[in-house]
Every structure is written in structure tokens, then in C-alpha cells.
Amino acid sequence: MTIPKILPTSLTGTKGTEDKQLTKLVQILSFLVLALLFAITAVLFISALPAIHSFGFNFLVGSDWDPVNNSFGALPFIYGTIMSSLVAILLAAPTGVGVAIFITEGFLPPLLRQPISIATEMLAAIPSVVYGLWGIFVLIPILRPFMQETSNLLGLIPFFAGPTPGPSIFVTGVLLAIMILPTIIAISRDVLRAVPESLRLGSMALGATKWETILSCILPAAVPGIMGSVILALGRALGETMAATMVIGNTPQIQASIFAPGYTLAAVLANEFAEAVTDIHTSALIYAALVLLGVTLLLNILAQWLVLIVSRPSERGGK
């Protein structure tokens, strides 16, 4: 007599009750995240309706911000937000990826890898206001001579023109770069560690040097994950409030030079929301918050699109 073997649910290919419940739970949580995003957008849009009706599209292209006369234009804040974030990403992305390679690819003694990893991640635990104070008392005095010399040498280029008072878009970008470094380093490090060891060994077995292996094999395989870390870091830079407010200068003007003071959308919300007296002023600030949300979503969509473009060659190569 043959006794039939009873296989576990996971081996039969059929979903058990627990599997179905877990699937529903995951689906509900996924929809909740999407619903939360729509809810936040809806609340901001409804609260910003008076300003949207009053200023319309001119709010996005106007440069006059005068609460006394109920005149509001957010273009200087949009410009300051995007420029400071771009400076931060341009500085932090190559630095963070370089540190991640330095940690994961055997350039450090084994005893130092973990302490340095922990030290870089500790940067993420420092409060924003502490970064802001450090920026005022340490970073600005350090960067002011550099900005002055650069302005003297390259002042004919509007992008580097003076004067260099200290608080500026450039200082804000450097400070934001330091703040988002832990995100890029931690995620890039984990992504690089996830690259199969066989890829490294196979490349070196064919005669490639260590750097040739890193540049031609490991980095292309890790590009989607590294781009994901940059996207997360960009979101942090775009929404940073206190640190940016303390070192950017809070000047609602558009100037070509990155050494000039500026203003960001998050900074104007932090500075004026508690002091807004009129309803239209409050609505204009909420409209600015809605614009900040839109800018963040658009840049993230653009970054995701770049990830897809970068990922396709490696997928074709894998096939």
C-alpha cells in the first residue's frame, strides 16, 4: 500500500489561506501609499485654490513677492530650490559613489570598513538645525575665500560672478551635499555588495585590472541601484528646510551667480507660514508647497526615466 505524500502549500503551487491574506495585506498597503500621496496633493490643492484663482500660472513665472500688497510670484524660490539641489547632487553623487567603491572593493583594511561605514551613516542622524549652525560658523568662513578667488578668476562668467557675501546658493549646495552623502553611500554600498562575486572573478580571470573590473563590470551592473540612491538623495535636498534657510541668504531674487544669495520654497514656508496674517498670503504659501511637491515629483519622474534608459543596455547585454 502506497501512502500519498502531502506536500506543503509552498511546494504544491497553490495558494493557501495565509498566502492569500498576505497578498491582500501587501496590496492594501501599496494602495494606501498611493492614496496618501493623492490625499496630500488634494489637501494642498484645495487650500491653495484662492491663490490659484487669483494668480494662476503667473504665480510660477512671477518674481514679485510682496505680502503687504498681496503680490506673489514663486519663480525666485523655484530657481533657488532647483539650483541648490543640483549643486548638491553634482557634488554628492560622485563623492558618495567613490566612497562606496572605496569601502566595498577592498581598498580599505577589513578592520576599518565597518567603523567608516558607521561613521558615514552617523551623518544622517545629525539634526538639520545643527547642520545649519555648522554651516554659519564653519562652512561659510571656509568657503568664502574659495568663492572670492573663483570669482576673481572666472568672474567674467555670470555663473561665478561676485560679490561673494557668504550665504549663497553654492554654500547651501555644499551643505546639502554633506547632508545627503549618507543616503548615497549607504545604498550604493549595499548595491555594490550585491553584485555577484563571479562577475569580479570572471573579469579578473580574463586579464582585467581591478579598476577595469570596477569601471566596466561592477558599476554598469550597479547603475540602477546607484541611480535609485541619487533619486532619494535628490528628494532630501529638494525638501530640506532649516539648514537651507540658515545659509542661503533668504533673498527672493534671481541672480545668475551661484555665489549670490537665494531663497528656496521650503525656506519661504518656514520663514513666513507662522507669520501669515491674510488668507491670500496663507493660500499663496500653500500654493508654494504644492509647487514644491510638483517640482519634486517631476524631478523624480525624470530620474526614474533616466534609470530606465541606463538599465536597458545592461538588460540587452544580459540577454
Side-chain angles (χ1 to χ4, degrees):
M1 179 178 180
T2 303
I3 301 175
K5 293 181 180 181
I6 301 176
L7 296 176
T9 304
S10 59
L11 300 179
T12 60
T14 59
K15 286 187 178 181
T17 304
E18 294 182 357
D19 291 334
K20 293 179 180 178
Q21 291 175 349
L22 183 60
T23 301
K24 289 181 180 179
L25 177 61
V26 172
Q27 290 175 346
I28 291 172
L29 293 177
S30 300
F31 283 116
L32 280 177
V33 173
L34 190 60
L36 180 62
L37 176 61
F38 280 111
I40 293 173
T41 306
V43 170
L44 290 176
F45 180 77
I46 293 171
S47 300
L49 274 177
I52 293 174
H53 288 315
S54 298
F55 310 113
F57 184 76
N58 290 330
F59 184 83
L60 304 178
V61 297
S63 301
D64 185 26
W65 188 270
D66 186 3
V68 176
N69 296 315
N70 290 331
S71 178
F72 300 98
L75 187 59
F77 311 127
I78 298 172
Y79 174 80
T81 300
I82 294 176
M83 289 300 297
S84 60
S85 298
L86 287 179
V87 171
I89 285 296
L90 290 175
L91 294 175
T95 305
V97 175
V99 172
I101 293 173
F102 190 69
I103 293 173
T104 58
E105 298 304 318
F107 294 101
L108 273 178
L111 290 177
L112 294 179
R113 290 177 191 172
Q114 194 64 23
I116 290 181
S117 297
I118 294 174
T120 55
E121 292 173 1
M122 283 293 293
L123 291 173
I126 300 176
S128 297
V129 67
V130 176
Y131 272 113
L133 290 172
W134 180 79
I136 292 173
F137 295 111
V138 178
L139 192 60
I140 289 178
I142 290 175
L143 293 179
R144 186 182 283 117
F146 168 78
M147 292 189 293
Q148 185 62 55
E149 289 299 323
T150 304
S151 179
N152 292 338
L153 292 173
L154 304 174
L156 295 178
I157 303 174
F159 202 61
F160 301 107
T164 56
S168 62
I169 291 175
F170 177 73
V171 173
T172 305
V174 174
L175 186 61
L176 291 176
I178 297 171
M179 295 178 70
I180 64 179
L181 264 178
T183 301
I184 298 177
I185 293 173
I187 298 177
S188 298
R189 180 197 61 202
D190 294 338
V191 170
L192 291 171
R193 285 177 177 171
V195 175
E197 187 66 21
S198 59
L199 195 62
R200 296 176 174 86
L201 298 177
S203 176
M204 291 184 178
L206 292 173
T209 64
K210 191 166 191 175
W211 275 110
E212 287 174 340
T213 299
I214 291 172
L215 295 176
S216 62
C217 295
I218 298 175
L219 282 181
V223 159
I226 292 174
M227 288 293 293
S229 71
V230 173
I231 293 171
L232 291 176
L234 178 61
R236 170 76 189 276
L238 287 168
E240 179 53 44
T241 305
M242 289 308 302
T245 303
M246 298 170 75
V247 298
I248 199 169
N250 299 327
T251 303
Q253 297 176 0
I254 297 178
Q255 302 184 59
S257 175
I258 60 172
F259 296 151
Y263 221 154
T264 66
L265 290 164
V268 72
L269 292 172
N271 285 333
E272 297 189 14
F273 198 84
E275 301 175 0
V277 178
T278 62
D279 292 338
I280 192 64
H281 188 189
T282 302
S283 181
L285 290 171
I286 298 175
Y287 194 0
L290 185 64
V291 172
L292 176 59
L293 178 62
V295 169
T296 304
L297 290 177
L298 285 176
L299 288 180
N300 275 273
I301 290 172
L302 176 61
Q304 292 285 358
W305 178 66
L306 291 175
V307 170
L308 292 176
I309 291 178
V310 172
S311 301
R312 282 173 185 170
S314 60
E315 290 175 358
R316 288 194 293 266
K319 292 179 181 179

